[in-house]
Amino acid sequence: MPCDCIPFRDTNYFSSLICDYLDQKAELQPFYNRFPTLENFEDQIKEKQQSFSDEHREVLSKALKNQYHNLDCSPATTQNLNVLEHSSTFTITTGHQLNLFTGPLYFLYKIISTVNLTKTLKEKYPDYNFVPIYWMATEDHDFDEINYFNLYGKKIQWNRADGGAVGVFDTQGIDKVFEIFSSEIGSGRNAEHLKSLFKNAYVHHNNLASATRYLANELFGEYGLVIIDGDDRDLKQLFVPYVKKEIEQVSYTAVLPKANKLDELGYKVQVNPREINLFYLAEGIRERIIEQEGRYFVNETDIEWSKEDLLKEFSEFPERFSPNVMMRPLYQEVILPNLCYIGGGGELAYWFELKNYFNAVDIPFPMLLLRNSVLLQTKKQAKKIEKLNISDTELFLKQYELINRKVRQISNIDINFDPQRKHLKEQFVAMYKLAEQTDVTFKNAVKAQEVKQLKGLDMLEKRLLKAQRRKLSDHVQRLTKIQNELFPNQSLQERTVNFSEMYLEYGEDLISTLIECLDPLKGEFLVLKQ
C-alpha cells in the first residue's frame, strides 16, 4: 500500500518531551536506560538475563497457563506460552485499558508495534526467543474512560453501575450495546464478522477481563500475542517484597526528584507520586492506602492497620493490593523477563520519572519505545486529497492554516503583501535619518506611523484573504470536510476512531496490512493509503 512517513515533531501533535526523546537530546539521557536501537538490545538482554530468576519464570509460566485454560489458543500463542519457560526467552510489553471493543484505533497500533518488534529482534538475535505481551489494565477503576467507543461520530456507550477494579465487572446490560452497534454498522460480510466478534466477546463472557482477553486473542492470536492479567494472586506474591518497601515511601523518595527535574527542564510532569502508591482492592472498591501518625487507612472506608498488621496482610493476602500508575511499571518488570515497554507519549512521560526508583530496588529499567502512529486513508479520501493538492504534511496543519495556505496557492490574486511591507520599511529609512536631526519626540512619531501603516497592510492582507476564501468557498468546504474526516474534532484519527470503522472498509486485510507496514523502530508517523 502507498505510504508516507512524517517526523513526529512535524505533526504538531506530540509533546516536546517525546520529540526531544526521539532526537536523543542530552538533557533527557538521565531519565532512561538505553535508547531503543536494535544494537542496544544486546546489552539489555544480558542485564535482564542476570536479574530474572528461574523461580519467577516458573511462577509466571504457571500463572499464564492458568489464565488461558478456558481459551482456545492459536498455535503461535501456545508456542509462546511454552517458550516462556526457557531462560533464553524475553518479552516485549505494551499495556492498555479494557476499553469497550478496543476503544480508539491506537489499541491496534500498540499491539502491532509489540508483535513486529519481537519479529525484528528474532531476526537480529536468533539464539533468543521474544514474546509479545499485552498487559490488560484489569485493576484500573476509571470506568468512564473505557465504557464507550466512537462509531461514525456517534458515542456507543455501555451504562452500568461503577465502582472498583473494572476487570471483574460483569457484562450485564452489554446486550443493549450490541443491539445499537448492530443497527449502526448494517449488513455485509465485514459487518457480520464484527457483530460476531462483539457478541462472542461481550455477550458470551461474564466479566470484562475475560471478554477483553477473548477479543484481543481473536484479533492477534495468530501473531503469538500473549495476554496477561496482573490481578493474579500468584503473580502478586512475587511482588510482596516491593509492596512492603512501599510503606517506607521508597517510590515517593526516588520519583519526586526526577519529576521535579523534568519540571525544571520545562517539560510537563505526567504523574505526581504519592507518599504511598498502593490501592486496596475489595468487592466494589479500589481505594488509596494512606498513612497517618503511624497507622494505615484505606481511603473512604473504616479499614485500618498498624504497620505490623499491614505487613502481615501483604504476605497473606497479596491479591488485595493493587499498584497505582507509579508502581505498576515495577510490578510488570518484576514478574516479566521484559526488555522493552511500548507505549504512547503520555505513558512514556511517566516512565521517565521512574528510573531512580528502579535503581533503588535493583530492577533493570526497560527500554522505552514510542508506539507506531498511523493515519489511515480510504481510496476515496486519498483521491480527494490528491485532487485538492494537499501534501501529507499539510494535512496535519491547524485548519485555518491549511485553508489559508491553500487559498493563497490557488488564488489568481497575489495575497502576499511582503513586497509592500519591504517597500514601506525602505521608505521609512529616510524618515528615520531626518528624525535623527531633530528631537526624540519626532523620532517616536515616525516609529508610531511606521507601526500603524504596517498594521494597516496586515489588516488589508487579512481582508483580501477573507474575501478570497468567500470566493473560493467550494474549495474551502472540500478542504474542511476532508480534514474533518481524517482528524475528527481536530484530533488524531487514532485517538478517536474505533477499529470497526476501518474494518468495514478494509475487511480482514486491516490487521495483516498494518503488520506488514508498521516498523516500530523507524520513529516516524505513518500515513497509509488504501
Side-chain angles (χ1 to χ4, degrees):
M1 294 181 69
C3 62
D4 191 14
C5 292
I6 300 172
F8 281 102
R9 192 182 294 276
D10 291 350
T11 69
N12 296 311
Y13 277 96
F14 292 81
S15 70
S16 60
L17 174 60
I18 293 303
C19 293
D20 288 350
Y21 174 61
L22 295 176
D23 290 341
Q24 300 184 57
K25 292 288 183 67
E27 58 265 31
L28 284 176
Q29 289 179 2
F31 296 89
Y32 60 91
N33 190 9
R34 297 179 180 89
F35 192 78
T37 63
L38 196 53
E39 293 71 25
N40 281 347
F41 274 95
E42 182 176 0
D43 288 336
Q44 193 74 25
I45 289 169
K46 292 176 182 177
E47 185 178 16
K48 191 67 180 184
Q49 196 168 37
Q50 292 170 0
S51 70
F52 195 74
S53 70
D54 291 339
E55 291 78 15
H56 278 214
R57 190 179 289 276
E58 184 178 349
V59 173
L60 171 67
S61 180
K62 182 179 177 181
L64 281 171
K65 289 180 178 179
N66 285 338
Q67 291 183 17
Y68 268 87
H69 77 282
N70 284 330
L71 191 65
D72 290 332
C73 290
S74 68
T77 295
T78 300
Q79 180 182 357
N80 279 341
L81 287 170
N82 290 331
V83 300
L84 272 169
E85 298 175 358
H86 305 153
S87 60
S88 58
T89 299
F90 299 91
T91 61
I92 304 297
T93 302
T94 193
H96 198 68
Q97 295 171 293
L98 307 188
N99 295 70
L100 185 62
F101 212 44
T102 75
L105 264 168
Y106 68 79
F107 173 81
L108 269 63
Y109 305 154
K110 276 185 167 184
I111 292 178
I112 291 170
S113 299
T114 305
V115 167
N116 282 354
L117 181 56
T118 61
K119 291 180 179 181
T120 301
L121 289 173
K122 183 63 176 176
E123 292 173 3
K124 175 69 174 178
Y125 303 102
D127 292 337
Y128 300 98
N129 297 308
F130 305 94
V131 175
I133 298 286
Y134 161 42
W135 181 289
M136 294 193 297
T138 56
E139 295 179 281
D140 280 7
H141 60 272
D142 197 337
F143 185 59
D144 289 341
E145 288 188 0
I146 67 167
N147 67 347
Y148 71 94
F149 61 95
N150 297 310
L151 183 67
Y152 296 121
K154 296 181 180 180
K155 191 175 185 179
I156 310 294
Q157 185 167 324
W158 174 28
N159 296 309
R160 56 148 291 155
D162 196 358
V166 298
V168 296
F169 280 14
D170 64 58
T171 52
Q172 289 183 6
I174 211 163
D175 54 329
K176 303 298 182 185
V177 181
F178 175 66
E179 292 174 8
I180 296 170
F181 176 60
S182 297
S183 65
E184 289 291 337
I185 64 172
S187 59
R189 180 182 175 184
N190 293 341
E192 293 306 317
H193 178 74
L194 288 170
K195 292 175 189 177
S196 175
L197 194 60
F198 189 104
K199 189 173 184 179
N200 289 335
Y202 294 99
V203 179
H204 294 166
H205 287 84
N206 60 11
N207 64 53
L208 191 54
S210 59
T212 304
R213 184 189 293 275
Y214 172 86
L215 179 60
N217 184 68
E218 286 295 302
L219 292 173
F220 297 105
E222 67 177 284
Y223 303 104
L225 181 69
V226 172
I227 303 154
I228 188 168
D229 183 352
D231 190 8
D232 183 296
R233 189 184 194 282
D234 292 336
L235 295 177
K236 286 188 174 180
Q237 191 71 57
L238 299 177
F239 198 51
V240 167
Y242 305 91
V243 171
K244 288 183 175 180
K245 289 181 180 180
E246 182 59 16
I247 63 174
E248 305 296 336
Q249 300 187 9
V250 173
S251 65
Y252 178 77
T253 303
V255 171
L256 190 60
K258 281 292 186 187
N260 290 339
K261 184 61 178 177
L262 282 171
D263 184 57
E264 289 174 13
L265 291 172
Y267 300 116
K268 179 184 176 182
V269 175
Q270 192 70 18
V271 180
N272 288 304
R274 298 183 182 277
E275 284 81 0
I276 297 177
N277 291 282
L278 283 171
F279 287 98
Y280 186 77
L281 285 179
E283 187 175 351
I285 69 166
R286 183 177 184 250
E287 290 288 346
R288 292 188 295 117
I289 296 174
I290 303 168
E291 185 269 335
Q292 292 179 353
E293 298 179 354
R295 292 193 65 79
Y296 297 85
F297 302 83
V298 177
N299 192 42
E300 303 292 341
T301 75
D302 296 327
I303 302 171
E304 64 174 284
W305 306 271
S306 66
K307 182 177 181 179
E308 292 72 21
D309 288 340
L310 180 57
L311 291 172
K312 183 180 179 183
E313 186 92 351
F314 287 154
S315 297
E316 295 180 355
F317 305 102
E319 69 276 11
R320 295 179 182 175
F321 299 90
S322 173
N324 77 351
V325 67
M326 302 307 300
M327 280 196 79
R328 192 273 307 156
L330 180 67
Y331 177 38
Q332 168 193 298
E333 297 301 315
V334 166
I335 67 174
L336 291 173
N338 198 49
L339 303 175
C340 176
Y341 184 78
I342 297 179
E347 290 175 282
L348 298 197
Y350 70 73
W351 274 88
F352 289 137
E353 302 176 37
L354 301 177
K355 187 168 183 288
N356 283 1
Y357 178 30
F358 275 70
N359 291 343
V361 295
D362 200 26
I363 294 293
F365 196 58
M367 299 165 83
L368 302 176
L369 180 62
L370 184 67
R371 64 168 173 82
N372 284 117
S373 283
V374 184
L375 176 65
L376 288 168
Q377 297 176 8
T378 65
K379 287 180 181 178
K380 288 182 179 179
Q381 289 169 338
K383 286 181 179 178
K384 289 178 182 178
I385 291 166
E386 183 179 3
K387 193 172 182 179
L388 289 166
N389 194 28
I390 309 172
S391 70
D392 290 330
T393 303
E394 286 175 328
L395 281 171
F396 289 83
L397 291 171
K398 298 295 183 184
Q399 194 161 91
Y400 73 91
E401 293 177 349
L402 173 64
I403 291 170
N404 287 349
R405 177 179 293 192
K406 303 315 287 186
V407 167
R408 290 176 189 274
Q409 287 178 2
I410 66 174
S411 177
N412 56 2
I413 300 173
D414 188 1
I415 307 176
N416 186 351
F417 281 11
D418 283 346
Q420 287 82 359
R421 291 186 185 89
K422 181 180 178 183
H423 179 71
L424 182 64
K425 289 180 179 179
E426 289 173 351
Q427 297 301 308
F428 270 89
V429 169
M431 296 292 290
Y432 278 118
K433 290 181 179 178
L434 179 62
E436 289 172 359
Q437 301 174 29
T438 59
D439 57 42
V440 70
T441 57
F442 184 64
K443 186 176 182 179
N444 290 341
V446 171
K447 179 64 177 175
Q449 190 62 224
E450 181 186 25
V451 170
K452 181 180 178 181
Q453 293 195 33
L454 286 171
K455 284 183 177 179
L457 279 176
D458 291 343
M459 185 181 69
L460 288 172
E461 185 180 75
K462 289 177 182 177
R463 290 188 64 176
L464 180 57
L465 184 59
K466 186 176 180 181
Q468 285 300 97
R469 284 203 303 264
R470 287 196 299 267
K471 185 177 179 180
L472 301 169
S473 60
D474 179 64
H475 197 89
V476 169
Q477 288 173 8
R478 285 185 288 146
L479 284 170
T480 302
K481 184 178 180 181
I482 191 64
Q483 194 186 50
N484 287 345
E485 286 180 10
L486 294 170
F487 295 82
N489 301 316
Q490 295 294 290
S491 179
L492 287 177
Q493 177 193 74
E494 63 182 31
R495 298 177 187 172
T496 305
V497 174
N498 181 257
F499 89 97
S500 56
E501 281 189 36
M502 297 303 167
Y503 192 91
L504 289 169
E505 183 75 28
Y506 288 81
E508 61 186 15
D509 293 334
L510 174 63
I511 291 178
S512 60
T513 298
L514 292 169
I515 289 280
E516 181 182 346
C517 295
L518 270 58
D519 180 354
L521 294 176
K522 191 163 188 177
E524 291 187 310
F525 197 109
L526 182 67
V527 179
L528 196 58
K529 305 169 187 182
Q530 191 179 21

